[in-house]
Amino acid sequence: MATSAKTEWSVGFFILMGFACALVLAFASTNSKDGLRGESYSVIARFSNAGELKVRAPVRIAGVKVGEVASVVLDPVSFDAIATLRLSADAGELPADTAAAIYTSGLLGDRYVGLAPGGDPEPLKDGDEILLTQSAVVLEQLIGQFMFGNGESGENAGTTPSATE
């Protein structure tokens, strides 16, 4: 009887330790401070649809993380989403005509901002605005357009029949 109680306590202890390890691993993987190291500067980008872009989402050039989203707020005048991007100075000087677009990691993954450097000799400076932007493509809107769109195709699409027909 004493051996049975010891076995039960041992099994309970190992199960509790397993839950504790899983909890620590979950916190370590989701709350990692993979922030920017060293100097950084901020630029803003306006999007007509930010599509669930979150603070701390990565900013990437050619798939390499060069910054993160510092904030996403609504402009009360134009009703655009204004994203403040914090970029690492280690990424080099980005041209002033750099383009920004919101992409999705995979089919249903998290959003991130992708930058495409242009060819302007003037660099982006702290507080500048990226003028060339592309909003997020929202999967639900695409499905809705496909399913409930006008449904017309062919040469008569978009025309109305005349009174003589």
Side-chain angles (χ1 to χ4, degrees):
M1 195 158 182
T3 307
S4 175
K6 275 186 172 180
T7 304
E8 289 176 8
W9 277 101
S10 298
V11 170
F13 175 74
F14 281 115
I15 290 175
L16 187 61
M17 289 302 293
F19 281 130
C21 289
L23 187 64
V24 168
L25 187 61
F27 276 111
S29 66
T30 58
N31 291 334
S32 65
K33 293 290 182 190
D34 190 41
L36 299 177
R37 290 164 178 73
E39 292 187 34
S40 64
Y41 62 100
S42 296
V43 296
I44 65 169
R46 292 176 178 270
F47 299 99
S48 61
N49 186 348
E52 298 296 321
L53 184 66
K54 293 180 173 60
V55 173
R56 293 186 60 208
V59 177
R60 297 181 178 148
I61 298 175
V64 178
K65 183 177 177 181
V66 296
E68 64 186 16
V69 176
S71 69
V72 181
V73 296
L74 181 68
D75 182 353
V77 176
S78 66
F79 300 107
D80 286 338
I82 300 175
T84 303
L85 312 177
R86 208 175 83 213
L87 304 174
S88 172
D90 295 339
E93 292 184 337
L94 293 175
D97 62 346
T98 296
I102 299 175
Y103 296 109
T104 305
S105 298
L107 185 60
L108 298 173
D110 289 334
R111 305 279 182 172
Y112 69 93
V113 177
L115 299 180
D120 195 336
E122 288 295 317
L124 280 172
K125 297 179 195 82
D126 190 34
D128 282 353
E129 181 175 351
I130 296 175
L131 299 175
L132 303 169
T133 60
Q134 179 181 345
S135 294
V137 176
V138 181
L139 184 62
E140 292 85 4
Q141 288 178 343
L142 287 177
I143 292 171
Q145 287 175 350
F146 178 74
M147 291 179 64
F148 305 112
N150 61 6
E152 297 175 332
S153 62
E155 58 188 65
N156 290 332
T159 61
T160 56
S162 65
T164 57
E165 291 183 350

